[in-house]
Amino acid sequence: QVQLVESGGGSVQAGGSLRLSCTTSGLTDCRFAVTWYRQPPTGAREYVAVLGALGNPIYAPGVKGRFTISRDDNKKTSDLQMDNLQPEDTAKYYCKMAVSDCPASGDYWGQGTQIDVYS
């Protein structure tokens, strides 16, 4: 059974940093692409950053230069380093993994972790 768990959320003053982690279970011998999404208090879920198996990250325009996505292919985990956070970054952040090349192939989501940025 595949499970994703996000951690590292919290409350931070504008200009501060947080690091989110997405840990997994059940992905042994699988390939994956990871996408971080967020959903603000009022609004739709939007993508933040994506990192495929080839390792070329893509960032949403609003976070480029401030956020850094990474992955550990051995541990099957991903981190999202968020620097210079701003109040508009306040949202619930989700990790999604598109899994392939193994019996567990499919898309999986974590439960999300809340980020609150205050000015």
Side-chain angles (χ1 to χ4, degrees):
Q1 183 178 0
V2 177
Q3 290 187 321
L4 276 61
V5 177
E6 300 96 337
S7 61
S11 184
V12 64
Q13 190 170 21
S17 298
L18 285 172
R19 188 178 185 90
L20 304 183
S21 293
C22 177
T23 57
T24 70
S25 60
L27 294 186
T28 303
D29 297 328
C30 297
R31 296 185 67 188
F32 67 94
V34 56
T35 306
W36 285 90
Y37 289 83
R38 67 185 180 188
Q39 186 162 13
T42 55
R45 192 173 294 189
E46 59 187 17
Y47 102 94
V48 174
V50 58
L51 184 58
L54 295 179
N56 296 317
I58 299 173
Y59 298 95
V63 307
K64 194 171 184 179
R66 300 188 296 123
F67 290 13
T68 303
I69 187 173
S70 61
R71 57 188 285 155
D72 186 318
D73 286 336
N74 291 324
K75 296 180 180 178
K76 311 296 185 188
T77 61
S78 175
D79 287 346
L80 185 68
Q81 175 67 38
M82 305 183 295
D83 298 318
N84 190 22
L85 283 160
Q86 300 300 314
E88 55 266 31
D89 296 317
T90 293
K92 194 166 187 178
Y93 285 71
Y94 297 86
C95 170
K96 188 196 91 170
M97 290 206 176
V99 177
S100 61
D101 296 344
C102 66
S105 294
D107 290 347
Y108 300 90
W109 291 82
Q111 83 291 347
T113 186
Q114 181 68 34
I115 304 294
D116 292 306
V117 185
Y118 58 92
S119 57

